[in-house]
Amino acid sequence: MKIYYIGILKNEQKPAHELCVEKDLSSYSRFTRDKYAHPSPNDLTLSHNTGIPRALITIHLQPHSYGEFMTLFSKTVAERTRPGQRQDIEEKSYTFHAYARTEGIAGIIISDHDYPALVAHQLLSKVVDEFLSSNPRSSFTSPSNPTPTISFPPLKEYIVKYQDPAQADSIMKIQKELDETKIVLHKTIESVLERGEKIDTLVQKSDGLSAQSKMFYTQAKKQNSCCVVM
């Protein structure tokens, strides 16, 4: 079980904006570094899908690129989560847990599929409540600074502590009213997009993705590669 991302996003208008975020990319950096330093014979063989060495496919997508795609898709989900709504969106091996508030923000957690959805939403409630108690709406809605970055140190602690879902027992006892049946489940990110919208278009239009990340995404899609990022 793994949490990769916890963020608070301003989502009243498009594009959504990350107010504060913590990401755990340790698994990606270790995987990429080990592949680069110690490629196995299999890594040096040609990929059936792309015709290039498998090790190079891994190296092309650096850890920061995973972080960029997490940001892009978190914004996409936040923009499509209504005030008061909870939803889970599954995409490849990830689940995006979302909870939006009437104050104009949404909490997003990205985890693997094994992480319990109810625990993720309990944590989202805690994170959003604590954020709003220390950061009034006026702190992130000023016309003079529409895209602020807000310091919220607890996120750094929570992304470490709650890697173990058992740590959430205390908050689950407090928030007994949360019911899994209230969480709307979607099987893909595209299922929450508006009619006619495509992930490919979001990727190409995104200002938050580097040219390297966009190039990798395009090549992976073109070759029907198993290494599509999300």
Side-chain angles (χ1 to χ4, degrees):
M1 289 180 280
K2 182 74 175 178
I3 293 178
Y4 301 99
Y5 175 108
I6 305 178
I8 301 291
L9 292 87
K10 180 180 175 182
N11 69 334
E12 281 185 310
Q13 297 177 336
K14 293 183 180 180
H17 169 69
E18 285 179 329
L19 295 172
C20 54
V21 63
E22 280 295 329
K23 302 172 184 176
D24 183 346
L25 304 178
S26 57
S27 55
Y28 301 117
S29 60
R30 183 174 63 251
F31 181 73
T32 304
R33 182 175 63 250
D34 290 348
K35 284 284 189 179
Y36 182 82
H38 306 289
S40 70
N42 183 60
D43 294 325
L44 298 177
T45 62
L46 298 184
S47 163
H48 174 72
N49 289 324
T50 63
I52 62 178
R54 288 183 172 86
L56 293 182
I57 296 176
T58 302
I59 294 166
H60 272 304
L61 195 62
Q62 298 296 325
H64 70 83
S65 292
Y66 283 100
E68 289 177 2
F69 277 103
M70 287 181 184
T71 292
L72 170 63
F73 291 130
S74 291
K75 289 180 178 181
T76 301
V77 170
E79 291 166 359
R80 291 154 180 84
T81 305
R82 301 186 306 274
Q85 183 184 29
R86 294 181 183 272
Q87 56 181 350
D88 284 351
I89 298 95
E90 297 178 350
E91 184 67 29
K92 300 298 187 292
S93 57
Y94 302 89
T95 300
F96 291 73
H97 310 276
Y99 171 43
R101 291 282 294 262
T102 57
E103 291 87 347
I105 64 171
I108 303 289
I109 288 176
I110 305 176
S111 71
D112 60 17
H113 293 326
D114 293 329
Y115 199 89
L118 193 56
V119 173
H121 280 274
Q122 298 285 5
L123 179 54
L124 279 175
S125 294
K126 176 180 175 65
V127 167
V128 171
D129 286 345
E130 291 181 1
F131 176 84
L132 289 172
S133 68
S134 58
N135 297 280
R137 178 177 162 80
S138 58
S139 67
F140 53 84
T141 57
S142 171
S144 62
N145 184 16
T147 56
T149 297
I150 297 178
S151 175
F152 188 54
L155 286 188
K156 189 178 293 292
E157 172 193 350
Y158 294 161
I159 201 169
V160 174
K161 178 178 180 180
Y162 292 105
Q163 294 294 341
D164 177 8
Q167 294 294 324
D169 285 349
S170 59
I171 58 176
M172 291 188 74
K173 291 175 183 176
I174 297 172
Q175 301 171 2
K176 293 179 180 178
E177 75 280 1
L178 182 56
D179 185 346
E180 274 188 298
T181 61
K182 297 178 182 178
I183 303 171
V184 180
L185 177 63
H186 300 275
K187 288 298 184 182
T188 64
I189 284 182
E190 285 200 340
S191 68
V192 302
L193 300 182
E194 296 175 6
R195 182 173 296 180
E197 283 187 306
K198 297 292 183 183
I199 288 180
D200 293 0
T201 304
L202 295 178
V203 169
Q204 295 307 320
K205 289 184 176 180
S206 172
D207 294 330
L209 292 179
S210 64
Q212 178 189 21
S213 296
K214 290 182 179 181
M215 183 182 302
F216 181 88
Y217 180 90
T218 300
Q219 290 299 317
K221 293 283 289 186
K222 186 182 298 183
Q223 300 293 346
N224 193 28
S225 170
C226 65
C227 300
V228 174
V229 290
M230 298 292 283

